[in-house]
Amino acid sequence: LSEEAGGGRGGEAVLTRLLERARDQLGAEAPLDELLGRARHGIVFIDEIDKIRARIDGRAHLPGIRAQEALLTLIENESIPLALPERWGGASVTVDASQLLFVGAGAFETLYDAVYDRVTVGRDRGALQEVTVVDGERLRREERFSLRDWLRSEDLFEYGMTPQFLSRFESVVLLQDLDEERLLRILLEGPESPLRRAEAYFASQGVRLALSPAAAQRIAAEAAAQPRLGARAVAEVFRRVIRDHEFEPATAATDGVVVIDLPEVETALSAGGGI
């Protein structure tokens, strides 16, 4: 996007991807008019949108500025010129972008800390009031900070989302951290979960992999202790548990089954180490 904007071709890659997705849905023989008609009603999901910041550490970030400008070209304009690839004839067409839905998502690292500093030691110091908490028979005072309650558009501007770019999105939604229950469901029910992949691999070696409920719960609990990793934490923890059994599954099996129970999980987690 940054390179396209610098060359005056903002958004071509996005439109081309939409056309390719339309071809996947309608078939390789679908006429161009039908592909354009489907593409005009597409959803553009921009992952890691926080990586196209206009400023980093107080300095202008030119690639981020250009990328935001390229997306603005699509969001603001109803008719976008597009030079088609050779496989579609190489002609130039005009794409109506007025019906596209844009969704951006990102982790926005450091945003939490920046907003917390603003309301505790920064320009809004004193805005965050302590509350009284009953702890058994004792009373204590503590600060309870929620980014959802204190985030302002100005915080996102300072982070590097330009006002003209951010204003094109109708709403800003903060997602909750994945709790232990949800991480457990991802592990046990997700079609692409690390458990499902491991089961398929073990089966290819003629071995069945079995994970006890207690072991699964412990893996989810360990993953929940790393909230900033999200669902990736499940894969990281599970990898630590299963790696010693992967090299020779048949050797680790009893009657053709490798059983992972709570003691095996605790042993693996206590050993430490990374992925």
Side-chain angles (χ1 to χ4, degrees), residues 60-219:
H61 181 227
L62 188 57
I65 294 172
R66 286 178 171 172
Q68 290 190 35
E69 289 175 348
L71 288 169
L72 274 173
T73 300
L74 291 175
I75 297 172
E76 290 182 332
N77 293 283
E78 295 186 0
S79 298
I80 307 295
L82 173 64
L84 293 172
E86 288 299 325
R87 62 181 178 276
W88 284 320
S92 294
V93 298
T94 299
V95 180
D96 179 5
S98 61
Q99 299 301 313
L100 294 178
L101 173 63
F102 290 83
V103 181
F108 287 87
E109 292 288 345
T110 73
L111 181 62
Y112 180 101
D113 295 334
V115 177
Y116 179 80
D117 288 346
R118 171 172 61 79
V119 300
T120 55
V121 297
R123 63 177 180 269
D124 293 329
R125 180 174 54 188
L128 183 63
Q129 300 295 317
E130 291 185 338
V131 296
T132 301
V133 178
V134 179
D135 186 3
E137 297 180 354
R138 300 173 56 187
L139 298 179
R140 57 184 173 84
R141 304 279 292 177
E142 69 175 33
E143 289 181 344
R144 289 189 174 179
F145 174 79
S146 170
L147 183 61
R148 186 184 306 274
D149 296 333
W150 294 97
L151 181 65
R152 299 175 180 172
S153 296
E154 290 79 4
D155 298 312
L156 291 168
F157 298 158
E158 293 179 6
Y159 189 86
M161 299 292 109
T162 61
Q164 60 269 34
F165 181 69
L166 186 63
S167 65
R168 297 307 187 275
F169 291 85
E170 294 184 359
S171 59
V172 175
V173 179
L174 276 69
L175 303 183
Q176 296 178 346
D177 291 332
L178 292 169
D179 58 18
E180 184 176 329
E181 179 183 353
R182 290 181 174 87
L183 290 169
L184 180 62
R185 289 186 59 191
I186 289 172
L187 175 65
L188 298 179
E189 302 175 18
E192 299 296 328
S193 78
L195 175 59
R196 294 287 171 261
R197 293 197 298 268
E199 288 174 338
Y201 167 69
F202 275 66
S204 72
Q205 303 298 308
V207 176
R208 185 169 70 88
L209 175 64
L211 185 69
S212 75
Q217 193 72 54
R218 181 67 181 88
I219 291 171

Side-chain angles (χ1 to χ4, degrees), residues 253-265:
T254 301
D255 296 329
V257 181
V258 173
V259 179
I260 305 296
D261 206 347
L262 184 58
E264 286 79 17
V265 175

